[in-house]
Amino acid sequence: MRLVTLTLNPAIDQTVTLDALTPGSVHRARSVWSDAGGKGVNVACCLADWGLAIAATGVLGQDNAAPFAQLLAAKSIDDRFVWIPGETRTNLKLLDASGGDTTDINLPGLEFGPSTVEAVRAVLADLTGPGSLAVLAGSLPRSLGPDIYARLTAELKRRGARVVLDASGPALAAALAAGRDSLPDAIKPNRHELEEWAGRPLPTLADVLDAAHHLQRSGIALVCVSLGAEGALFVSSEGALRALPPPTRVASTVGAGDALVAGLVAGLHDGLALPDLARRALAFAAGKLSRTGANLPPRAEVEAIAAEIQVERLG
């Protein structure tokens, strides 16, 4: 089964650790490090750590290519990016060591035209076919319309691929408004992104479950809603459940949602039943929390975490 991730708005994530983040104050950084990333890149890294062959595509700038080229080579990820003139953006992440919270400052991405989009589409056509799994993940550069994920999903599904979508805002809304045959096979919004799509607050677990059921009945085979420290909700034709992670030492929350997506993909790749898929997804996310960057612990450690995941069936 061929696996591929798409990242149209990648970034170099520069993480600055502070003793405590106080707006309006001068801060002295405890540490700083940079990781080549973007949601699809992070998903590919976690899947590679798990031991799966994975290709990654999207758009990257030639002027600061080294961090991405080095990362993809180190993880043995098939680099199928379209490289264009310019610099890939840098995002700033402020990690508050006192509480573990991260404040993100995301900069605008590379802007590109139709010819670059066509080059990406050609790469996807070459990488996907019946039985393949494609992950479309992350924000979009300003030069692209919000319907790009919807259009790419329709093309991928016509080729027989399954599509996992991790998007938000107008891009997610456009993808969810597509015809039933063009809907993604799996989505992973967090509670805020689901509320944004629903157009109303979802304060209780029952509210979140109702919205997830609505999406699943509309034709999305698997709906996963990440709930932070409260775990994640999973809804499919097999039913609904919530998975709760074990206590975890947190080194960095950056990329935890991407690791969750990677765990979903790994579970779909292996055809796991919903409870086991939920355990694997949460284990990926919990394992990543103990690492900086988009890195998983060794496979045996992730499997040990999965064995500790509590899964409860929901009505």
mmCIF file of all heavy atoms in Angstrom, residues 58-94:
data_model
loop_
_atom_site.group_PDB
_atom_site.id
_atom_site.type_symbol
_atom_site.label_atom_id
_atom_site.label_comp_id
_atom_site.label_asym_id
_atom_site.label_seq_id
_atom_site.Cartn_x
_atom_site.Cartn_y
_atom_site.Cartn_z
ATOM 1 N N GLY A 58 4.659 18.293 -1.888
ATOM 2 C CA GLY A 58 4.175 19.618 -1.552
ATOM 3 C C GLY A 58 5.055 20.635 -2.248
ATOM 4 O O GLY A 58 5.629 20.354 -3.307
ATOM 5 N N VAL A 59 5.211 21.803 -1.641
ATOM 6 C CA VAL A 59 5.991 22.882 -2.239
ATOM 7 C C VAL A 59 6.985 23.420 -1.216
ATOM 8 O O VAL A 59 6.602 23.759 -0.089
ATOM 9 C CB VAL A 59 5.078 24.022 -2.728
ATOM 10 C CG1 VAL A 59 5.902 25.129 -3.379
ATOM 11 C CG2 VAL A 59 4.029 23.493 -3.706
ATOM 12 N N LEU A 60 8.270 23.500 -1.604
ATOM 13 C CA LEU A 60 9.320 24.010 -0.731
ATOM 14 C C LEU A 60 10.148 25.056 -1.469
ATOM 15 O O LEU A 60 10.291 25.017 -2.690
ATOM 16 C CB LEU A 60 10.241 22.869 -0.282
ATOM 17 C CG LEU A 60 9.669 21.887 0.755
ATOM 18 C CD1 LEU A 60 10.589 20.686 0.892
ATOM 19 C CD2 LEU A 60 9.472 22.569 2.098
ATOM 20 N N GLY A 61 10.723 25.978 -0.692
ATOM 21 C CA GLY A 61 11.576 27.013 -1.263
ATOM 22 C C GLY A 61 13.011 26.543 -1.424
ATOM 23 O O GLY A 61 13.572 25.894 -0.531
ATOM 24 N N GLN A 62 13.616 26.880 -2.541
ATOM 25 C CA GLN A 62 14.987 26.440 -2.820
ATOM 26 C C GLN A 62 16.019 27.158 -1.945
ATOM 27 O O GLN A 62 17.097 26.621 -1.703
ATOM 28 C CB GLN A 62 15.318 26.707 -4.289
ATOM 29 C CG GLN A 62 14.483 25.910 -5.275
ATOM 30 C CD GLN A 62 14.660 26.377 -6.704
ATOM 31 O OE1 GLN A 62 15.230 27.435 -6.955
ATOM 32 N NE2 GLN A 62 14.162 25.588 -7.647
ATOM 33 N N ASP A 63 15.691 28.362 -1.457
ATOM 34 C CA ASP A 63 16.701 29.189 -0.803
ATOM 35 C C ASP A 63 17.044 28.728 0.612
ATOM 36 O O ASP A 63 18.067 29.157 1.156
ATOM 37 C CB ASP A 63 16.249 30.649 -0.773
ATOM 38 C CG ASP A 63 16.101 31.235 -2.172
ATOM 39 O OD1 ASP A 63 16.448 30.538 -3.147
ATOM 40 O OD2 ASP A 63 15.632 32.384 -2.299
ATOM 41 N N ASN A 64 16.196 27.933 1.239
ATOM 42 C CA ASN A 64 16.548 27.354 2.550
ATOM 43 C C ASN A 64 16.166 25.872 2.559
ATOM 44 O O ASN A 64 15.479 25.385 3.457
ATOM 45 C CB ASN A 64 15.893 28.116 3.711
ATOM 46 C CG ASN A 64 14.371 28.212 3.581
ATOM 47 O OD1 ASN A 64 13.788 27.891 2.543
ATOM 48 N ND2 ASN A 64 13.720 28.650 4.646
ATOM 49 N N ALA A 65 16.648 25.171 1.535
ATOM 50 C CA ALA A 65 16.263 23.778 1.311
ATOM 51 C C ALA A 65 16.947 22.808 2.261
ATOM 52 O O ALA A 65 16.423 21.725 2.529
ATOM 53 C CB ALA A 65 16.587 23.389 -0.133
ATOM 54 N N ALA A 66 18.125 23.168 2.773
ATOM 55 C CA ALA A 66 18.948 22.203 3.490
ATOM 56 C C ALA A 66 18.240 21.511 4.655
ATOM 57 O O ALA A 66 18.327 20.279 4.776
ATOM 58 C CB ALA A 66 20.239 22.866 3.971
ATOM 59 N N PRO A 67 17.518 22.230 5.539
ATOM 60 C CA PRO A 67 16.901 21.529 6.678
ATOM 61 C C PRO A 67 15.910 20.450 6.243
ATOM 62 O O PRO A 67 15.843 19.377 6.863
ATOM 63 C CB PRO A 67 16.204 22.651 7.451
ATOM 64 C CG PRO A 67 16.931 23.894 7.070
ATOM 65 C CD PRO A 67 17.318 23.686 5.642
ATOM 66 N N PHE A 68 15.160 20.710 5.178
ATOM 67 C CA PHE A 68 14.187 19.724 4.700
ATOM 68 C C PHE A 68 14.879 18.560 4.009
ATOM 69 O O PHE A 68 14.528 17.395 4.243
ATOM 70 C CB PHE A 68 13.191 20.388 3.749
ATOM 71 C CG PHE A 68 12.254 21.334 4.438
ATOM 72 C CD1 PHE A 68 12.541 22.685 4.508
ATOM 73 C CD2 PHE A 68 11.088 20.875 5.039
ATOM 74 C CE1 PHE A 68 11.699 23.561 5.158
ATOM 75 C CE2 PHE A 68 10.239 21.743 5.686
ATOM 76 C CZ PHE A 68 10.539 23.093 5.747
ATOM 77 N N ALA A 69 15.854 18.861 3.169
ATOM 78 C CA ALA A 69 16.573 17.790 2.474
ATOM 79 C C ALA A 69 17.257 16.866 3.471
ATOM 80 O O ALA A 69 17.233 15.635 3.318
ATOM 81 C CB ALA A 69 17.592 18.397 1.510
ATOM 82 N N GLN A 70 17.856 17.438 4.511
ATOM 83 C CA GLN A 70 18.539 16.634 5.520
ATOM 84 C C GLN A 70 17.550 15.779 6.304
ATOM 85 O O GLN A 70 17.803 14.599 6.568
ATOM 86 C CB GLN A 70 19.317 17.555 6.459
ATOM 87 C CG GLN A 70 20.505 18.235 5.799
ATOM 88 C CD GLN A 70 21.070 19.378 6.629
ATOM 89 O OE1 GLN A 70 20.607 19.647 7.750
ATOM 90 N NE2 GLN A 70 22.066 20.064 6.099
ATOM 91 N N LEU A 71 16.413 16.361 6.689
ATOM 92 C CA LEU A 71 15.414 15.619 7.462
ATOM 93 C C LEU A 71 14.849 14.448 6.660
ATOM 94 O O LEU A 71 14.776 13.314 7.152
ATOM 95 C CB LEU A 71 14.282 16.549 7.881
ATOM 96 C CG LEU A 71 13.092 15.882 8.585
ATOM 97 C CD1 LEU A 71 13.501 15.366 9.955
ATOM 98 C CD2 LEU A 71 11.914 16.846 8.696
ATOM 99 N N LEU A 72 14.449 14.710 5.429
ATOM 100 C CA LEU A 72 13.844 13.669 4.610
ATOM 101 C C LEU A 72 14.838 12.541 4.337
ATOM 102 O O LEU A 72 14.471 11.355 4.349
ATOM 103 C CB LEU A 72 13.319 14.270 3.308
ATOM 104 C CG LEU A 72 12.200 15.314 3.470
ATOM 105 C CD1 LEU A 72 11.914 16.004 2.139
ATOM 106 C CD2 LEU A 72 10.940 14.690 4.030
ATOM 107 N N ALA A 73 16.096 12.907 4.108
ATOM 108 C CA ALA A 73 17.115 11.883 3.877
ATOM 109 C C ALA A 73 17.368 11.069 5.149
ATOM 110 O O ALA A 73 17.494 9.848 5.098
ATOM 111 C CB ALA A 73 18.410 12.533 3.400
ATOM 112 N N ALA A 74 17.434 11.749 6.309
ATOM 113 C CA ALA A 74 17.710 11.060 7.564
ATOM 114 C C ALA A 74 16.606 10.070 7.914
ATOM 115 O O ALA A 74 16.867 9.022 8.517
ATOM 116 C CB ALA A 74 17.884 12.078 8.692
ATOM 117 N N LYS A 75 15.360 10.395 7.548
ATOM 118 C CA LYS A 75 14.220 9.524 7.860
ATOM 119 C C LYS A 75 13.921 8.535 6.729
ATOM 120 O O LYS A 75 12.965 7.756 6.836
ATOM 121 C CB LYS A 75 12.971 10.372 8.104
ATOM 122 C CG LYS A 75 13.067 11.346 9.269
ATOM 123 C CD LYS A 75 12.690 10.702 10.581
ATOM 124 C CE LYS A 75 12.572 11.729 11.682
ATOM 125 N NZ LYS A 75 12.190 11.114 12.978
ATOM 126 N N SER A 76 14.703 8.572 5.670
ATOM 127 C CA SER A 76 14.485 7.706 4.489
ATOM 128 C C SER A 76 13.093 7.914 3.904
ATOM 129 O O SER A 76 12.426 6.965 3.470
ATOM 130 C CB SER A 76 14.696 6.227 4.855
ATOM 131 O OG SER A 76 16.026 6.009 5.263
ATOM 132 N N ILE A 77 12.654 9.173 3.876
ATOM 133 C CA ILE A 77 11.369 9.538 3.275
ATOM 134 C C ILE A 77 11.615 9.878 1.805
ATOM 135 O O ILE A 77 12.555 10.614 1.474
ATOM 136 C CB ILE A 77 10.748 10.741 4.002
ATOM 137 C CG1 ILE A 77 10.402 10.360 5.448
ATOM 138 C CG2 ILE A 77 9.502 11.253 3.282
ATOM 139 C CD1 ILE A 77 10.053 11.534 6.331
ATOM 140 N N ASP A 78 10.788 9.337 0.926
ATOM 141 C CA ASP A 78 10.900 9.607 -0.506
ATOM 142 C C ASP A 78 10.542 11.072 -0.764
ATOM 143 O O ASP A 78 9.384 11.465 -0.646
ATOM 144 C CB ASP A 78 9.959 8.671 -1.268
ATOM 145 C CG ASP A 78 10.056 8.836 -2.774
ATOM 146 O OD1 ASP A 78 10.975 9.529 -3.253
ATOM 147 O OD2 ASP A 78 9.187 8.267 -3.480
ATOM 148 N N ASP A 79 11.539 11.881 -1.104
ATOM 149 C CA ASP A 79 11.350 13.323 -1.292
ATOM 150 C C ASP A 79 10.807 13.588 -2.690
ATOM 151 O O ASP A 79 11.531 13.512 -3.675
ATOM 152 C CB ASP A 79 12.688 14.042 -1.098
ATOM 153 C CG ASP A 79 12.592 15.548 -1.312
ATOM 154 O OD1 ASP A 79 11.481 16.054 -1.556
ATOM 155 O OD2 ASP A 79 13.645 16.220 -1.227
ATOM 156 N N ARG A 80 9.504 13.910 -2.747
ATOM 157 C CA ARG A 80 8.881 14.217 -4.035
ATOM 158 C C ARG A 80 8.327 15.643 -4.046
ATOM 159 O O ARG A 80 7.359 15.944 -4.723
ATOM 160 C CB ARG A 80 7.781 13.202 -4.316
ATOM 161 C CG ARG A 80 8.253 11.759 -4.373
ATOM 162 C CD ARG A 80 9.199 11.513 -5.543
ATOM 163 N NE ARG A 80 8.517 11.724 -6.788
ATOM 164 C CZ ARG A 80 7.809 10.770 -7.427
ATOM 165 N NH1 ARG A 80 7.748 9.550 -6.912
ATOM 166 N NH2 ARG A 80 7.201 11.027 -8.547
ATOM 167 N N PHE A 81 8.973 16.539 -3.284
ATOM 168 C CA PHE A 81 8.531 17.928 -3.224
ATOM 169 C C PHE A 81 8.818 18.657 -4.532
ATOM 170 O O PHE A 81 9.772 18.340 -5.248
ATOM 171 C CB PHE A 81 9.219 18.667 -2.068
ATOM 172 C CG PHE A 81 8.510 18.508 -0.748
ATOM 173 C CD1 PHE A 81 8.852 17.479 0.106
ATOM 174 C CD2 PHE A 81 7.498 19.380 -0.383
ATOM 175 C CE1 PHE A 81 8.197 17.315 1.321
ATOM 176 C CE2 PHE A 81 6.839 19.229 0.813
ATOM 177 C CZ PHE A 81 7.188 18.197 1.680
ATOM 178 N N VAL A 82 8.009 19.633 -4.819
ATOM 179 C CA VAL A 82 8.245 20.574 -5.916
ATOM 180 C C VAL A 82 8.992 21.761 -5.312
ATOM 181 O O VAL A 82 8.483 22.424 -4.401
ATOM 182 C CB VAL A 82 6.908 21.028 -6.545
ATOM 183 C CG1 VAL A 82 7.160 22.101 -7.601
ATOM 184 C CG2 VAL A 82 6.166 19.834 -7.138
ATOM 185 N N TRP A 83 10.186 22.005 -5.798
ATOM 186 C CA TRP A 83 11.028 23.070 -5.248
ATOM 187 C C TRP A 83 10.927 24.306 -6.147
ATOM 188 O O TRP A 83 11.076 24.215 -7.369
ATOM 189 C CB TRP A 83 12.476 22.611 -5.172
ATOM 190 C CG TRP A 83 12.679 21.421 -4.283
ATOM 191 C CD1 TRP A 83 12.430 20.114 -4.589
ATOM 192 C CD2 TRP A 83 13.129 21.423 -2.943
ATOM 193 N NE1 TRP A 83 12.711 19.300 -3.520
ATOM 194 C CE2 TRP A 83 13.152 20.079 -2.484
ATOM 195 C CE3 TRP A 83 13.538 22.440 -2.066
ATOM 196 C CZ2 TRP A 83 13.552 19.730 -1.204
ATOM 197 C CZ3 TRP A 83 13.950 22.076 -0.786
ATOM 198 C CH2 TRP A 83 13.951 20.738 -0.362
ATOM 199 N N ILE A 84 10.683 25.468 -5.551
ATOM 200 C CA ILE A 84 10.526 26.709 -6.309
ATOM 201 C C ILE A 84 11.432 27.785 -5.704
ATOM 202 O O ILE A 84 11.874 27.657 -4.566
ATOM 203 C CB ILE A 84 9.053 27.190 -6.322
ATOM 204 C CG1 ILE A 84 8.580 27.544 -4.914
ATOM 205 C CG2 ILE A 84 8.148 26.135 -6.948
ATOM 206 C CD1 ILE A 84 7.204 28.181 -4.866
ATOM 207 N N PRO A 85 11.723 28.859 -6.462
ATOM 208 C CA PRO A 85 12.548 29.936 -5.901
ATOM 209 C C PRO A 85 11.891 30.555 -4.670
ATOM 210 O O PRO A 85 10.667 30.639 -4.570
ATOM 211 C CB PRO A 85 12.629 30.940 -7.056
ATOM 212 C CG PRO A 85 12.374 30.137 -8.287
ATOM 213 C CD PRO A 85 11.393 29.073 -7.881
ATOM 214 N N GLY A 86 12.736 30.999 -3.732
ATOM 215 C CA GLY A 86 12.229 31.641 -2.522
ATOM 216 C C GLY A 86 12.545 30.824 -1.282
ATOM 217 O O GLY A 86 13.191 29.775 -1.348
ATOM 218 N N GLU A 87 12.089 31.332 -0.126
ATOM 219 C CA GLU A 87 12.337 30.680 1.149
ATOM 220 C C GLU A 87 11.052 30.113 1.731
ATOM 221 O O GLU A 87 10.012 30.772 1.722
ATOM 222 C CB GLU A 87 12.932 31.670 2.162
ATOM 223 C CG GLU A 87 14.371 32.045 1.908
ATOM 224 C CD GLU A 87 14.986 32.763 3.110
ATOM 225 O OE1 GLU A 87 14.240 33.061 4.066
ATOM 226 O OE2 GLU A 87 16.198 33.006 3.080
ATOM 227 N N THR A 88 11.137 28.896 2.229
ATOM 228 C CA THR A 88 10.039 28.340 3.010
ATOM 229 C C THR A 88 9.925 29.152 4.301
ATOM 230 O O THR A 88 10.936 29.555 4.888
ATOM 231 C CB THR A 88 10.317 26.859 3.341
ATOM 232 O OG1 THR A 88 10.480 26.147 2.117
ATOM 233 C CG2 THR A 88 9.183 26.253 4.140
ATOM 234 N N ARG A 89 8.719 29.405 4.747
ATOM 235 C CA ARG A 89 8.487 30.267 5.909
ATOM 236 C C ARG A 89 9.070 29.655 7.193
ATOM 237 O O ARG A 89 9.287 28.447 7.296
ATOM 238 C CB ARG A 89 6.987 30.498 6.112
ATOM 239 C CG ARG A 89 6.233 29.219 6.442
ATOM 240 C CD ARG A 89 4.739 29.443 6.537
ATOM 241 N NE ARG A 89 4.062 28.162 6.764
ATOM 242 C CZ ARG A 89 2.993 28.009 7.544
ATOM 243 N NH1 ARG A 89 2.460 29.054 8.144
ATOM 244 N NH2 ARG A 89 2.446 26.824 7.706
ATOM 245 N N THR A 90 9.303 30.516 8.173
ATOM 246 C CA THR A 90 9.687 30.092 9.515
ATOM 247 C C THR A 90 8.570 30.473 10.479
ATOM 248 O O THR A 90 8.105 31.613 10.480
ATOM 249 C CB THR A 90 10.997 30.762 9.960
ATOM 250 O OG1 THR A 90 12.060 30.340 9.091
ATOM 251 C CG2 THR A 90 11.350 30.392 11.389
ATOM 252 N N ASN A 91 8.123 29.516 11.270
ATOM 253 C CA ASN A 91 7.115 29.763 12.304
ATOM 254 C C ASN A 91 7.782 29.772 13.673
ATOM 255 O O ASN A 91 8.677 28.976 13.941
ATOM 256 C CB ASN A 91 6.025 28.686 12.277
ATOM 257 C CG ASN A 91 5.125 28.811 11.075
ATOM 258 O OD1 ASN A 91 5.020 29.877 10.476
ATOM 259 N ND2 ASN A 91 4.461 27.728 10.720
ATOM 260 N N LEU A 92 7.320 30.651 14.527
ATOM 261 C CA LEU A 92 7.874 30.786 15.868
ATOM 262 C C LEU A 92 6.928 30.147 16.869
ATOM 263 O O LEU A 92 5.719 30.415 16.860
ATOM 264 C CB LEU A 92 8.074 32.269 16.206
ATOM 265 C CG LEU A 92 8.809 32.592 17.508
ATOM 266 C CD1 LEU A 92 10.226 32.019 17.475
ATOM 267 C CD2 LEU A 92 8.846 34.098 17.738
ATOM 268 N N LYS A 93 7.475 29.279 17.718
ATOM 269 C CA LYS A 93 6.680 28.602 18.747
ATOM 270 C C LYS A 93 7.297 28.911 20.102
ATOM 271 O O LYS A 93 8.455 28.572 20.355
ATOM 272 C CB LYS A 93 6.639 27.096 18.487
ATOM 273 C CG LYS A 93 5.967 26.763 17.160
ATOM 274 C CD LYS A 93 5.902 25.281 16.897
ATOM 275 C CE LYS A 93 5.213 24.988 15.574
ATOM 276 N NZ LYS A 93 3.802 25.395 15.544
ATOM 277 N N LEU A 94 6.525 29.552 20.977
ATOM 278 C CA LEU A 94 6.992 29.957 22.300
ATOM 279 C C LEU A 94 6.481 28.950 23.321
ATOM 280 O O LEU A 94 5.281 28.886 23.595
ATOM 281 C CB LEU A 94 6.501 31.370 22.623
ATOM 282 C CG LEU A 94 6.837 32.452 21.588
ATOM 283 C CD1 LEU A 94 6.248 33.786 22.002
ATOM 284 C CD2 LEU A 94 8.339 32.560 21.388
#
